[in-house]
Each structure stands twice: as structure tokens, then as C-alpha cells.
Amino acid sequence: MKLQFTKMHGAGNDFIVIDSTEAPFTMTTNQLRFIADRHLGIGADQILIVEKARTPDTDFRYRIFNQDGGEVEMCGNGARCFARYVYDRGLTTKKKIRVETMKGIIQPELQDDGRVKVDMGAPRFRPEEIPLNTTGLSHLSRASDTLWEVKAAGYNNWVSVVSMGNPHAVMVVGDVEQAPVSTVGPAIENHPAFPERVNVGFLQAVSRTEGKLRVWERGAGETLACGTGACAAAVAGMRRGLFDSEVELQMHGGRLRIEWDGTPTGSVFLIGPAATVFTGEIDVPAI
Ligand SMILES: N[C@H](CCC[C@H](N)C(=O)O)C(=O)O
């Protein structure tokens, strides 16, 4: 099957973007894994599918698949690239759009400075909303947050849990460059306390408005940046009394800005870059 695609990235988190507004999306899990493979296919952290809206109050539908082929609820860096893609390709003339995802509507808006600002909706913290199975887990309160002890890879890891539509576990570390991302990351990603697995953030608070973050992503491993991970880490830091309501997080692939008013229904806003790298065509085998 001949597949047209566009390669994009948001702060180094890279994507294959496929326009499925005119033809139904029918790729198998094996085909998704093939195109995302960095040696055998195109290579990407995630695959973003652009579909026509299914409801009158939205402009598009947005589907996201991880490098491992699994479909997931949300992708923040991808949302920025999605907005850039549909505008640049003339699929819309709007600079602010409403996009339906598996877990609600997000609203990306192209900014005059070239960045994209996304209303990511409100964060959720209740264990059942993550989901987190709390059976047998110790927990403690820290400011307005709750930390859960997840024993993994030989460490007692105290994590905040946040859902941005997708699940995140965030731990605070003294130095992100020394954090055991490649060992603790997969151990927590696949921990039985997270029945749908989890993205794992390693956050270093530098000041009340600055931080450093590395994320081991569910279904993709460590990425150069994670948009929902940045939202989750910023919100966890705010709830733990480490950050003000606006914070910039430096990740290996670039800088992301997060704003949240701290109210239970207040949206988290994610601001950052979105770049188009190349377009192409690939012959996808019937697998
Ligand atoms: N790995 C994530 C999906 C991609 C999220 C990330 N790339 C972002 O920018 O938010 C998950 O399994 O929930």
C-alpha cells in the first residue's frame, strides 16, 4: 500500500502525520509498528491520524498511536503539530481549532510568534481517573498533592499521579541528568499498579518558574520531549508547592511552557514549537 505522510516534531518528539480526512484509516498494528521503526520504516515516537470531525462542535478528530502500535488518548506535542499541519495544508483556514480526541476536546491555536498554544483541558488526579490501583501502596500528602510509593527497579519511588487524558507518574529528582530514566522508567511504565501502563516523568525544580524534565513514555521509551508529560509534571509541581502558575520546562529536545490556574476545572495550557521536517511516500507491506 502506498502511504503519503508528513514527518513533524514538537521539541524533538517526532511524529508521522497521516491525512485520513478523505480515506478511512485501516492500518494494522504491525503496519503501524513498521512505519514507526527507525531502521525498517520512517521512524517516529508516535503516529498522528487526521480525521474529519464526528461532531458538529469540532473541526477535526485526532487519533494517536505510539511507536509500539498501541492507540492512546492524548499527545500534547502532537496536538501542536496537528494544528500546524491542518492549517499549512489548507484543511482549515482557522488558526484556533477544536479537536476531538479519545478523552475529550482540545483546542490548539497557532500563535503569531510561530509557537502553538493548546488548551489541554483540566488535569485529573483521582486514582480511578489515572487509572492507578492503590491496593498495597503507601501514600502521603505533600501540600495539596498525594504521593504514592511505587517500588520498582530496587527503588522506593514516590510519585504524583496525573491524567491529561493519558496517564502520568511524576517523581521529583535532584538532577535529571543523573536520574535512572532507562531503568526506573520501564519498571514503573509496566508496574502492576498501572493497569493501562503509564508515562514516567523525572522532574527537577530549578526555581518557582523553571524546571528540567525527562520522560520515559509509555509505548515509546525516553523521548526528547513529552507534551502531556510536561503538563503533568508542571501541575504536579504546582500542587506540591514547587512552582507558580506559569512554568517553563527544559527538556532535551526543547522548551515547553505550561500555565494552569490551579482550579479543579481549570484547563492546562501548553505552549511550544511545531515543525514540519519533510513529506514522503512509503510502500507499506500487507502485514
Ligand atoms: N506516550 C504517550 C502518548 C504520547 C504523549 C507525548 N508524546 C506527548 O507529547 O504528550 C502515552 O502512551 O500516553
Side-chain angles (χ1 to χ4, degrees):
M1 163 183 86
K2 295 283 186 208
L3 176 72
Q4 311 288 327
F5 67 89
T6 298
K7 187 76 187 331
M8 302 185 77
H9 76 88
N13 184 197
D14 66 334
F15 309 108
I16 296 162
V17 187
I18 297 168
D19 177 356
S20 193
T21 55
E22 297 304 326
F25 173 70
T26 58
M27 291 179 73
T28 65
T29 300
N30 284 336
Q31 287 178 318
L32 290 164
R33 286 181 181 150
F34 171 81
I35 65 171
D37 187 290
R38 296 193 184 283
H39 301 288
L40 306 177
I42 304 159
D45 295 325
Q46 279 87 33
I47 298 158
L48 313 181
I49 310 301
V50 181
E51 294 188 336
K52 282 189 179 357
R54 289 189 177 180
T55 56
D57 65 340
T58 57
D59 299 291
F60 293 97
R61 183 164 179 255
Y62 171 31
R63 296 179 71 186
I64 305 132
F65 296 86
N66 277 323
Q67 194 179 74
D68 68 0
E71 184 164 9
V72 292
E73 311 90 342
M74 197 60 75
C75 179
N77 288 323
R80 301 197 310 274
C81 291
F82 188 106
R84 166 74 58 222
Y85 178 87
V86 294
Y87 185 81
D88 288 354
R89 289 174 63 94
L91 295 176
T92 183
T93 56
K94 295 180 181 177
K95 290 201 167 183
K96 182 173 186 177
I97 56 176
R98 287 170 57 82
V99 184
E100 176 197 340
T101 71
M102 279 171 75
K103 283 282 186 76
I105 294 170
I106 57 171
Q107 300 186 74
E109 179 177 15
L110 303 182
Q111 307 284 288
D112 293 339
D113 66 4
R115 294 186 300 174
V116 186
K117 181 172 187 176
V118 192
D119 175 341
M120 295 292 294
R124 291 172 289 283
F125 307 104
R126 294 205 310 270
E128 61 273 18
E129 294 176 301
I130 303 304
L132 171 70
N133 179 351
T134 60
T135 307
L137 296 191
S138 302
H139 65 280
L140 59 84
S141 295
R142 176 66 53 83
S144 59
D145 195 7
T146 299
L147 307 187
W148 298 91
E149 186 182 35
V150 178
K151 294 182 168 49
Y155 294 86
N156 296 347
N157 307 286
W158 288 91
V159 299
S160 304
V161 291
V162 183
S163 173
M164 291 303 302
N166 60 344
H168 291 269
V170 181
M171 71 180 74
V172 173
V173 297
D175 179 351
V176 284
E177 298 312 325
Q178 303 304 317
V181 176
S182 59
T183 51
V184 172
I188 295 180
E189 174 196 359
N190 299 290
H191 193 282
F194 296 99
E196 292 179 15
R197 297 188 294 156
V198 71
N199 300 283
V200 188
F202 299 80
L203 173 66
Q204 176 185 344
V206 174
S207 74
R208 295 196 58 80
T209 57
E210 285 279 331
K212 294 180 178 178
L213 178 67
R214 292 172 69 185
V215 179
W216 177 274
E217 285 201 33
R218 176 180 62 172
E222 182 174 7
T223 57
L224 293 179
C226 178
T228 51
C231 293
V235 163
M238 291 169 189
R239 281 166 44 96
R240 290 172 69 156
L242 302 174
F243 291 144
D244 293 339
S245 59
E246 299 179 5
V247 66
E248 301 243 341
L249 296 183
Q250 183 66 48
M251 301 191 72
H252 282 171
R255 241 171 130 71
L256 298 175
R257 179 177 177 76
I258 299 91
E259 300 169 359
W260 182 51
D261 66 6
T263 63
T265 56
S267 283
V268 180
F269 292 89
L270 170 67
I271 302 105
T276 300
V277 183
F278 63 90
T279 59
E281 179 180 278
I282 183 171
D283 200 353
V284 184
I287 49 179

